[in-house]
Amino acid sequence: MPKVAVVTTGGTIASTRNGQGVSRPVVAGSDLLGSTRAGTEIRVVDVMSKDSSSMTFADMDRVRDTVTSELSDPDLDAVVVLHGTDTMEETAFLVDLHHADPRPVVFTGAQRTFDHPESDARANLTDAIAAGTNPALRGAGVLIAFGGALHRASGTRKADTTSLDAFRSVHPTGDLLPQRPDPLSWHPISGTRVDIVAAYPGADRVQIDACLAAGARGLVLDGLGSGNANPAIVEAVRDCTSAGIPVVVTTRVPHGPTSATYGGGGGGHDLISAGALFSTDLRAGQARILLAALLADPEHTDLDKEFDRRSRIDPAPRIS
């Protein structure tokens, strides 16, 4: 009989609604499992009960530590993590960056609360357990099972606020075996401040200066188009990089890679000239996690090389 650890953190999948229609995560892990126990030995590990919008780097470190601890059991086949959808992509990616074990870790959650008459909680949990115990997915790393689809954590983001298939991948996966870079050595990211700054028409350097004053060790610029801004932002980025504060450029556009091809004083080419790094496929949330993980590790000094390698998501071969 397969053996799976189910790590609970809260989220909509563990929530019920009160008389005013307000959802709160109050359902214990043992109550969530129900009939999904059939044919699988389940060990429930209740870690926290939070809306994922309230997750901090310290919380994400804790989830990662719990996954690693559970995988110390040699008889375990997989770990399933129940997580809110708002920040699932960040926590799953953090775990994936440091996941060296061939056994899969599968994140899932729900768009509808546990007590909703048409909740997707049970179906997503069943799919996640099935993925974790699928021998073909050994070595696949960290996955997100949601809405009947299976995504690798890297390059996946929440793309719809209400749809039951809320997540989208850089490259659609289905039953695909991810190609993954070597895992990073583990260093907690708690205490490593990395902020996200938005580019928009008429943006100035106020946000960037405020982040630096607050102690940011790195910044992610959520750029326009293929990774563009304006001359005022370029100048602020140059000041950051001159002071040893790395700036990673991504884009607010949902699909497509970044490209440092535009000039004109505020384009991607100008940002590169100012010392910025480009995140090819990762959007702002996961780019922030990667930058924090690299900054937390004193051995990683070549950030440009690491971002080029880890933010470029190649299509994965189909499982034979």
Side-chain angles (χ1 to χ4, degrees):
M1 182 179 292
K3 184 177 180 181
V4 176
V6 176
V7 175
T8 72
T9 68
T12 301
I13 194 169
S15 294
T16 60
R17 294 164 298 173
N18 64 16
Q20 289 73 46
V22 178
S23 301
R24 291 187 175 87
V26 295
V27 183
S30 57
D31 295 327
L32 287 171
L33 271 296
S35 62
T36 56
R37 293 176 180 271
T40 306
E41 181 182 346
I42 301 292
R43 177 168 68 229
V44 178
V45 185
D46 290 317
V47 175
M48 63 187 77
S49 185
K50 300 186 76 167
D51 291 318
S52 71
S53 57
S54 299
M55 293 286 279
T56 65
F57 275 1
D59 293 327
M60 294 178 186
D61 283 339
R62 187 178 172 194
V63 173
R64 183 266 169 195
D65 288 342
T66 302
V67 169
T68 301
S69 176
E70 290 305 305
L71 288 172
S72 66
D73 178 357
D75 296 325
L76 197 70
D77 291 285
V79 176
V80 169
V81 181
L82 308 187
H83 197 288
T85 58
D86 283 358
T87 59
M88 186 187 296
E89 64 206 65
E90 282 97 340
T91 306
F93 184 53
L94 177 67
V95 176
D96 190 52
L97 282 173
H98 303 94
H99 183 58
D101 196 292
R103 291 169 292 179
V105 176
V106 186
F107 277 69
T108 195
Q111 288 282 72
R112 296 173 178 168
T113 56
F114 183 74
D115 62 344
H116 190 285
E118 297 180 340
S119 176
D120 54 334
R122 188 61 53 76
N124 285 343
L125 179 53
T126 300
D127 287 349
I129 293 173
T133 56
N134 182 351
L137 291 175
R138 280 186 68 88
V142 179
L143 306 169
I144 293 175
F146 209 93
L150 192 63
H151 309 274
R152 50 178 161 175
S154 181
T156 292
R157 65 187 306 212
K158 186 175 182 180
D160 195 294
T161 58
T162 59
S163 174
L164 298 187
D165 60 340
F167 288 87
R168 299 290 183 272
S169 306
V170 170
H171 299 289
T173 53
D175 291 331
L176 301 180
L177 185 63
Q179 298 171 327
R180 306 170 60 236
D182 295 335
L184 295 173
S185 59
W186 172 243
H187 296 270
I189 62 173
S190 178
T192 303
R193 180 170 185 139
V194 176
D195 290 317
I196 298 174
V197 174
Y200 50 85
D204 57 22
R205 62 181 296 152
V206 169
Q207 289 186 67
I208 292 177
D209 290 339
C211 292
L212 296 182
R217 290 184 56 192
L219 297 176
V220 174
L221 176 63
D222 201 13
L224 306 169
S226 58
N228 305 306
N230 62 42
I233 297 297
V234 170
E235 189 58 33
V237 168
R238 181 175 289 107
D239 290 344
C240 288
T241 60
S242 297
I245 306 297
V247 180
V248 173
V249 179
T250 180
T251 175
R252 70 180 189 177
V253 180
H255 302 290
T258 59
S259 177
T261 56
Y262 285 91
H269 174 78
D270 304 299
L271 287 165
I272 288 286
S273 297
L277 313 175
F278 263 57
S279 174
T280 306
D281 290 315
L282 299 180
R283 293 311 190 247
Q286 291 191 340
R288 175 177 177 250
I289 295 296
L290 177 54
L291 182 55
L294 293 173
L295 289 172
D297 185 352
E299 295 181 6
H300 282 289
T301 56
D302 192 347
L303 296 182
D304 195 357
K305 177 181 177 181
E306 287 298 322
F307 254 93
D308 183 63
R309 188 161 74 104
R310 297 181 185 275
S311 72
R312 190 183 303 275
I313 313 299
D314 296 323
R318 184 167 293 279
I319 296 174
S320 58

